[in-house]
Amino acid sequence: MSVPSYYTEIAQSRIRHVLLMLRDTLQTGFNSFGLCQLYPCRPSFEPDQLIPSSLLARTSPTAAIHETDPSPLSNVFVPPYPFANMTIYRLLSWMNSGSSMLSESKVSHLVKDVLLAEDFDHKDLENFSDESGSRVTFPDDWIQTSITIDIPMKSKEDGPQPYTIPGFHYCPLVEVIRVAFADVQAGAFHLFPFQWLWKDSLDGHQERIYDELYTSDAGLDAQNSIQRIQKEPRCSLEHVIAGLMFFSDATHLANFGTVKAWLLYLCIFGNLTKYA
């Protein structure tokens, strides 16, 4: 008895492809604190075993490498960037370090740490007021555009009025991610989420520990989702997560009144431990 051809066509149209996922879980041994790591998939590397403690404790390893490496990463910028020289950099850093009411300690700080600094040159301040409008330069990968925001009016009946702001600079998120993974500190990124487990030495019961983005359920769920994505043809690279953490906080818009704005901040990267 032969099966009609249209039944075969229906079955083939419903089954496009089958994605087989093999889970090779890995649980490390418990350390002296009773902690172990439980990976849903066997990781290709574990960064904490490869990165020395001196590098994990360094706030900005790229800045230290920049001083000795003759060919550092092109995307790493050190002072006086983005200003023309160290004199302007020091002056504007001091200007942005306090409130509008400068105390005697602030004036003393200006004299000792700025005016009397070895690399301070008053000649660099010639025509400083004329250069203040264009003193900040942006890398070539930043995009300049205009944005339109709504400005509230005095009367609620009038409604907000649009206001266009030219000269707005931003960097695409893809470029931010690329630069972060090209940085030397990317060697300490946790690309494979896992569970922290703590075992009580007295009764042997285990508890889940939460401390990082890559040890949370959100990180594990995201990792599980991207593993289901079909790879590009002839691509053998692993699917990993770039953890972007967004947060917002109230900011006063003026020294008077109570008007606030909730700015959106981006923290790079959730893959890096907060102790780095």
Side-chain angles (χ1 to χ4, degrees):
M1 178 178 177
S2 60
V3 180
S5 59
Y6 66 89
Y7 286 117
T8 304
E9 294 177 356
I10 293 175
Q12 292 178 350
S13 63
R14 291 180 178 178
I15 304 177
R16 297 292 183 181
H17 63 273
V18 176
L19 183 61
L20 179 61
M21 296 184 63
L22 300 178
R23 294 198 176 276
D24 185 14
T25 59
L26 172 66
Q27 180 172 340
T28 63
F30 290 93
N31 60 19
S32 58
F33 298 100
L35 296 172
C36 78
Q37 298 171 335
L38 176 60
Y39 289 90
C41 297
R42 184 177 296 269
S44 57
F45 80 103
E46 209 286 311
D48 290 344
Q49 299 294 331
L50 303 176
I51 305 300
S53 58
S54 60
L55 183 58
L56 289 175
R58 191 176 298 162
T59 303
S60 180
T62 53
I65 293 177
H66 204 83
E67 299 175 357
T68 58
D69 190 356
S71 58
L73 297 175
S74 58
N75 291 306
V76 177
F77 303 97
V78 297
Y81 179 86
F83 305 104
N85 49 64
M86 285 300 301
T87 302
I88 297 178
Y89 172 84
R90 286 181 175 276
L91 182 61
L92 295 182
S93 297
W94 171 81
M95 181 188 67
N96 295 323
S97 63
S99 63
S100 58
M101 299 180 62
L102 299 179
S103 61
E104 294 181 358
S105 61
K106 280 293 182 181
V107 177
S108 177
H109 168 65
L110 172 63
V111 175
K112 294 180 179 180
D113 298 337
V114 179
L115 299 180
L116 297 181
E118 295 181 357
D119 53 3
F120 184 89
D121 188 355
H122 66 88
K123 295 181 180 180
D124 293 334
L125 297 179
E126 295 179 0
N127 301 322
F128 171 72
S129 59
D130 296 337
E131 297 176 352
S132 60
S134 58
R135 61 178 177 267
V136 178
T137 58
F138 292 88
D140 296 335
D141 51 6
W142 283 59
I143 299 176
Q144 180 178 356
T145 185
S146 299
I147 59 173
T148 301
I149 61 176
D150 292 334
I151 303 298
M153 307 304 293
K154 294 183 178 180
S155 175
K156 296 183 180 179
E157 299 178 354
D158 295 339
Q161 297 296 323
Y163 178 76
T164 301
I165 303 176
F168 177 78
H169 292 78
Y170 72 95
C171 183
L173 284 179
V174 175
E175 180 62 20
V176 175
I177 297 173
R178 189 192 68 82
V179 172
F181 273 86
D183 190 270
V184 64
Q185 205 170 29
F189 283 176
H190 286 265
L191 304 179
F192 303 94
F194 59 88
Q195 293 184 17
W196 269 121
L197 298 178
W198 174 76
K199 183 178 181 180
D200 193 334
S201 59
L202 298 179
D203 57 15
H205 83 278
Q206 297 183 11
E207 295 183 10
R208 177 88 176 271
I209 304 297
Y210 301 89
D211 61 344
E212 304 282 0
L213 179 62
Y214 49 82
T215 63
S216 65
D217 289 336
L220 291 167
D221 293 341
Q223 177 72 7
N224 182 62
S225 298
I226 64 172
Q227 299 307 318
R228 300 178 182 274
I229 301 177
Q230 189 174 5
K231 293 186 177 181
E232 297 292 332
R234 297 183 299 277
C235 178
S236 59
L237 299 177
E238 297 176 294
H239 286 167
V240 297
I241 296 175
L244 306 182
M245 297 187 294
F246 295 88
F247 61 97
S248 182
D249 193 9
T251 302
H252 286 280
L253 300 181
N255 292 332
F256 54 89
T258 59
V259 180
K260 301 178 182 178
W262 289 82
L263 304 180
L264 184 63
Y265 301 93
L266 168 63
C267 179
I268 305 278
F269 259 101
N271 305 74
L272 185 64
T273 174
K274 55 177 171 285
Y275 302 109

